[in-house]
Amino acid sequence: MLFPMLSSLAFCFAAGVAGQTYATPNSTHGPTPDANGKYEISAEGIRARFVPYGASISDLFVVDKNGVERDIVLGFDTAGEFTTDPYHPHLGSVPGRYANRIKNSTFTIDGTTYKVTPNDNNGLNTLHGGPDGWDYRNFTVVAHTADSITFSIVDPDGKEGFPGEVVSYITYTLSPNTWHIKMVALATTKKTPIMLSSHTYWNLDGFAHPDTPTALNHTVSLPFSGQRVGVDGILIPDGTILPNAKGSVNDFWSAPKQMGANLTSPEMLGNCGTNCTGYDNCFLVNRAQNGPYDWRTSDPIASVWSDFSGIKLDIYTDQDAFQVYSCGFQNGTLPIKSSQGLEGRRRVVEKYGCIVLEVQDWIDGINHPEWGREKRQVFGPGDEPYVLEATYVFSVDS
Ligand SMILES: *[C@@H]1O[C@H](CO)[C@@H](O)[C@H](O)[C@H]1NC(C)=O
Ligand SMILES: *[C@@H]1O[C@H](CO)[C@@H](O)[C@H](O)[C@H]1NC(C)=O
Ligand SMILES: *[C@@H]1O[C@H](CO)[C@@H](O)[C@H](O)[C@H]1NC(C)=O
Ligand SMILES: *[C@@H]1O[C@H](CO)[C@@H](O)[C@H](O)[C@H]1NC(C)=O
Ligand SMILES: *[C@@H]1O[C@H](CO)[C@@H](O)[C@H](O)[C@H]1NC(C)=O
Ligand SMILES: *[C@@H]1O[C@H](CO)[C@@H](O)[C@H](O)[C@H]1NC(C)=O
Ligand SMILES: *[C@@H]1O[C@H](CO)[C@@H](O)[C@H](O)[C@H]1NC(C)=O
């Protein structure tokens, strides 16, 4: 099926805003998935596969400094496993309609307080849109060409407790060595919070680094992130904005640093919540202070690279925050894919085996009006649509 059953309003909107041609795709890959239920797209130096479940990326192949193709994202070998996996780490998905945590599963819009379904910290808050958030559902494939795929979802009024219907289109496009993401969402009936992200887990070595199954040796640079959102012990923003002091464990702005550089520092214990060692932090992206900028052409907001594979990822985005999670809760339960790993080593994701890099807006901004995020996070009928764009550029340092 090429077209979702949407209102004509939503359909025209999609055709206009996303700029897609919704004719029968002229594609060597066809509108149907491969035998594993995945949809492949490709361009020079890069190919990727996606599954409808959560509009998730399942595989991303680039060639490393030795000419070996590496699959550098977490996923499953088959589309079905995204649904059946009991742990649901949101692999490669689009969390929605509101990414990250909502304090006390509560927010207020125009004087009305809404309670959404809790699913985190024993019912204290809502994570990534609730227990049946967007990344627990199969999106519809509305377009698929050789280098691009578009998914859609219609999120009904009241689902997970959120007010109003939301219609969204997620378009992934490949161009030479580049993955481009465009997410558009429209609140069609009521004012509602919307904040999306791409929850992709990375291991730039494809789990083949002979010295380590972890990503602790990946180098990270966040040149505009001198601040982060302060959180309590269960990662709920407490209203503070904290400085990432030079030389501190959260300083990735003054110089690039390996993910694991400060792992044994006493400061690191509790950095990602009570008793948690590592990163699960929302870094702010402060660019406006330096004058006007164009996110497409000004410096990347984040760079990550691995000396083993030589693969480097530069991230460009229109978003103002960036969550970094160092996979401290992985414990060797989740399998890696058949396209990954090293012979003779356990075929699982070990603790710190990956990094999640999430472009998004200021987390729980709907509960902090003093941050002034309303225009970026609350949308109603007649408003401009919610838009997220990100460009991931890959290069190889040989
Ligand atoms: C699409 O159509 C054009 C013109 O008919 C053809 O040259 C091309 O090979 C087709 N396939 C793709 C993937 O573009
Ligand atoms: C999503 O689609 C896959 C592949 O067709 C299927 O195995 C799975 O059961 C579906 N999941 C849901 C939640 O509908
Ligand atoms: C949590 O939200 C409920 C409404 O859903 C409210 O009654 C309660 O006071 C809130 N608790 C806290 C600690 O804010
Ligand atoms: C973190 O690591 C960097 C790079 O090795 C180092 O310069 C810095 O002193 C370390 N900071 C802490 C708090 O350990
Ligand atoms: C890899 O990381 C470990 C732990 O942070 C560090 O001791 C080691 O020097 C790093 N290796 C390289 C090649 O950077
Ligand atoms: C944190 O660790 C300490 C020491 O192991 C333990 O007593 C405490 O219960 C832990 N707290 C939580 C919230 O897990
Ligand atoms: C590993 O993590 C999974 C997912 O969070 C959890 O269900 C499981 O109990 C953990 N296993 C061990 C041995 O800690």
Side-chain angles (χ1 to χ4, degrees), residues 139 216 326 370:
F139 284 53
L216 292 171
S326 59
E370 73 276 17

Side-chain angles (χ1 to χ4, degrees), residues 49-197:
R49 297 187 188 123
F50 299 87
V51 295
Y53 191 72
S56 305
I57 188 165
S58 61
D59 313 82
L60 179 62
F61 297 96
V62 294
V63 175
D64 78 3
K65 68 178 184 187
N66 296 312
V68 180
E69 190 178 57
R70 302 282 177 199
D71 182 358
I72 59 176
V73 301
L74 270 66
F76 295 101
D77 280 329
T78 61
E81 287 166 274
F82 283 79
T83 295
T84 55
D85 158 54
Y87 306 115
H88 196 89
H90 311 274
L91 290 192
S93 68
V94 178
R97 73 176 70 174
Y98 195 85
N100 209 275
R101 292 177 176 82
I102 298 175
K103 181 181 185 177
N104 191 29
S105 303
T106 305
F107 55 87
T108 300
I109 296 176
D110 292 345
T112 303
T113 297
Y114 296 93
K115 184 87 187 176
V116 290
T117 314
N119 63 335
D120 192 36
N121 288 309
N122 301 314
L124 287 179
N125 61 281
T126 294
L127 176 64
H128 295 325
D132 193 31
W134 288 11
D135 67 9
Y136 293 80
R137 300 181 224 163
N138 279 333
F139 284 53
T140 302
V141 178
V142 291
H144 180 216
T145 69
D147 61 7
S148 179
I149 187 163
T150 297
F151 294 97
S152 77
I153 189 169
V154 179
D155 192 19
D157 181 13
K159 186 85 176 86
E160 307 301 280
F162 286 99
E165 180 194 70
V166 173
V167 178
S168 180
Y169 290 82
I170 311 296
T171 298
Y172 301 122
T173 307
L174 298 184
S175 56
N177 307 311
T178 302
W179 175 26
H180 182 251
I181 298 172
K182 183 164 187 177
M183 302 185 181
V184 180
L186 191 68
T188 54
T189 58
K190 292 177 189 162
K191 268 173 109 169
T192 186
I194 302 176
M195 180 165 82
L196 306 179
S197 187

Side-chain angles (χ1 to χ4, degrees), residues 1-2 20-34 37-42 48-50 140-151 170-172 174:
M1 183 175 80
L2 291 178
Q20 295 291 320
T21 304
Y22 286 28
T24 304
N26 170 6
S27 164
T28 48
H29 306 289
T32 50
D34 67 18
K38 298 177 177 180
Y39 294 79
E40 182 166 313
I41 60 178
S42 61
R49 297 187 188 123
F50 299 87
T140 302
V141 178
V142 291
H144 180 216
T145 69
D147 61 7
S148 179
I149 187 163
T150 297
F151 294 97
I170 311 296
T171 298
Y172 301 122
L174 298 184

Side-chain angles (χ1 to χ4, degrees), residues 65-353:
K65 68 178 184 187
N66 296 312
V68 180
E69 190 178 57
R70 302 282 177 199
D71 182 358
I72 59 176
V73 301
L74 270 66
F76 295 101
D77 280 329
T78 61
E81 287 166 274
F82 283 79
T83 295
T84 55
D85 158 54
Y87 306 115
H88 196 89
H90 311 274
L91 290 192
S93 68
V94 178
R97 73 176 70 174
Y98 195 85
N100 209 275
R101 292 177 176 82
I102 298 175
K103 181 181 185 177
N104 191 29
S105 303
T106 305
F107 55 87
T108 300
I109 296 176
D110 292 345
T112 303
T113 297
Y114 296 93
K115 184 87 187 176
V116 290
T117 314
N119 63 335
D120 192 36
N121 288 309
N122 301 314
L124 287 179
N125 61 281
T126 294
L127 176 64
H128 295 325
D132 193 31
W134 288 11
D135 67 9
Y136 293 80
R137 300 181 224 163
N138 279 333
F139 284 53
T140 302
V141 178
V142 291
H144 180 216
T145 69
D147 61 7
S148 179
I149 187 163
T150 297
F151 294 97
S152 77
I153 189 169
V154 179
D155 192 19
D157 181 13
K159 186 85 176 86
E160 307 301 280
F162 286 99
E165 180 194 70
V166 173
V167 178
S168 180
Y169 290 82
I170 311 296
T171 298
Y172 301 122
T173 307
L174 298 184
S175 56
N177 307 311
T178 302
W179 175 26
H180 182 251
I181 298 172
K182 183 164 187 177
M183 302 185 181
V184 180
L186 191 68
T188 54
T189 58
K190 292 177 189 162
K191 268 173 109 169
T192 186
I194 302 176
M195 180 165 82
L196 306 179
S197 187
S198 171
H199 202 277
T200 306
Y201 286 72
W202 302 89
N203 182 302
L204 298 179
D205 299 324
F207 297 95
H209 193 314
D211 299 339
T212 176
T214 74
L216 292 171
N217 285 107
H218 287 30
T219 304
V220 178
S221 169
L222 305 174
F224 303 107
S225 294
Q227 295 176 308
R228 69 187 187 283
V229 175
V231 293
D232 66 13
I234 57 169
L235 300 179
I236 308 296
D238 61 11
T240 60
I241 300 298
L242 302 174
N244 297 329
K246 194 169 178 176
S248 69
V249 300
N250 293 302
D251 170 19
F252 290 95
W253 60 267
S254 73
K257 170 173 91 179
Q258 288 201 353
M259 200 70 200
N262 298 139
L263 201 65
T264 56
S265 164
E267 261 183 53
M268 199 61 124
L269 177 60
N271 193 54
C272 42
T274 303
N275 288 353
C276 175
T277 296
Y279 298 97
D280 196 353
N281 305 84
C282 183
F283 293 89
L284 300 186
V285 178
N286 296 317
R287 280 183 297 183
Q289 64 191 12
N290 302 336
Y293 63 91
D294 176 349
W295 69 266
R296 295 171 192 275
T297 52
S298 71
D299 292 338
I301 63 115
S303 299
V304 183
W305 63 93
S306 167
D307 291 337
F308 166 70
S309 65
I311 294 168
K312 182 182 187 200
L313 164 60
D314 288 317
I315 298 181
Y316 300 79
T317 184
D318 61 353
Q319 299 294 295
D320 293 335
F322 190 68
Q323 184 90 11
V324 177
Y325 167 52
S326 59
C327 289
F329 291 110
Q330 289 302 326
N331 60 12
T333 306
L334 192 67
I336 57 172
K337 286 172 287 180
S338 54
S339 50
Q340 299 175 320
L342 193 65
E343 214 172 313
R345 187 191 280 163
R346 283 198 332 144
R347 303 197 54 76
V348 295
V349 182
E350 303 286 3
K351 188 170 185 167
Y352 306 123

